[in-house]
Amino acid sequence: MANREALRELQTRLANRLQAAKAEGSSVSSWLAVQTAGRRYLLPLAHSGEIFPWTGVQAVPYTQPWYLGIANLRGSLMGVVDLGALLGYPVARTEQALTESSLLAVNPVLEVNAALMVDSLLGLRGTDAFVSSEAPSEDAPEYFGTLYTDAEGATWQELNLQVLAQSPVFLSIGV
């Protein structure tokens, strides 16, 4: 119950910050910051959808290890993808760790009926939150964008959910 209340408070804070940024006429916050498998990612707000607390996921046999199954999110059946495992960082999660995770629905404009399971939501970020950036390496997946470093020295990988949603790995499961 406390997790649901904390998630609601986070959603309210995020919504208020988005409205404040729009009212000021600035695009200070352009990413939703998440952490999964011990790594930090920046997801474009335009590609991100509604945030849900962890809910029961019905496993689907004969699927990839990163495909957790199907969940009923606000009346819509969505495929649930473990983002960390999909990116090649599988983590053995306990039931407790799952209950503390969140599901981030992919924006419906991307025409992918999926939600990404992330370990934690870290709020909104804009380019002003980072001290340096570098282009992705040549061998990085096409859905990797710029790599940012913040003032504390932490690295943040930008993910293009539109490209990820159209990648062969996502299309192979038909989410």
Side-chain angles (χ1 to χ4, degrees), residues 55-71:
T55 186
V57 174
Q58 182 64 43
V60 177
Y62 309 112
T63 58
Q64 298 291 332
W66 46 262
Y67 188 74
L68 299 176
I70 304 289

Side-chain angles (χ1 to χ4, degrees), residues 134-149:
E134 62 184 73
S137 65
E138 290 183 21
D139 60 340
E142 61 184 10
Y143 45 82
F144 273 17
T146 304
L147 187 65
Y148 293 92
T149 304

Side-chain angles (χ1 to χ4, degrees), residues 53-149:
W54 175 258
T55 186
V57 174
Q58 182 64 43
V60 177
Y62 309 112
T63 58
Q64 298 291 332
W66 46 262
Y67 188 74
L68 299 176
I70 304 289
N72 182 349
L73 302 176
R74 226 185 263 278
S76 295
L77 293 178
M78 293 193 183
V80 178
V81 173
D82 180 336
L83 182 61
L86 175 69
L87 297 175
Y89 307 107
V91 176
R93 291 187 172 83
T94 64
E95 194 61 36
Q96 177 66 29
L98 285 174
T99 60
E100 295 171 0
S101 64
S102 298
L103 299 177
L104 174 65
V106 175
N107 192 317
V109 300
L110 298 181
E111 298 179 347
V112 176
N113 202 23
L116 303 173
M117 192 274 294
V118 296
D119 296 335
S120 59
L121 301 166
L122 303 176
L124 299 174
R125 299 287 191 279
T127 53
D128 59 338
F130 304 103
V131 294
S132 68
S133 64
E134 62 184 73
S137 65
E138 290 183 21
D139 60 340
E142 61 184 10
Y143 45 82
F144 273 17
T146 304
L147 187 65
Y148 293 92
T149 304

Side-chain angles (χ1 to χ4, degrees), residues 7 10-11 13-14 17-18 28-49 51 83 100-104 116-130 148 150 152 154-159 161:
L7 183 59
L10 176 64
Q11 286 177 317
R13 284 194 316 268
L14 290 174
R17 287 182 64 188
L18 279 173
V28 173
S29 300
S30 55
W31 296 295
L32 176 63
V34 301
Q35 183 171 347
T36 191
R39 289 166 175 75
R40 294 175 183 92
Y41 296 97
L42 300 169
L43 309 176
L45 284 176
H47 299 167
S48 304
I51 299 166
L83 182 61
E100 295 171 0
S101 64
S102 298
L103 299 177
L104 174 65
L116 303 173
M117 192 274 294
V118 296
D119 296 335
S120 59
L121 301 166
L122 303 176
L124 299 174
R125 299 287 191 279
T127 53
D128 59 338
F130 304 103
Y148 293 92
D150 64 19
E152 288 81 38
T155 57
W156 297 80
Q157 178 64 64
E158 181 182 9
L159 290 180
L161 292 182

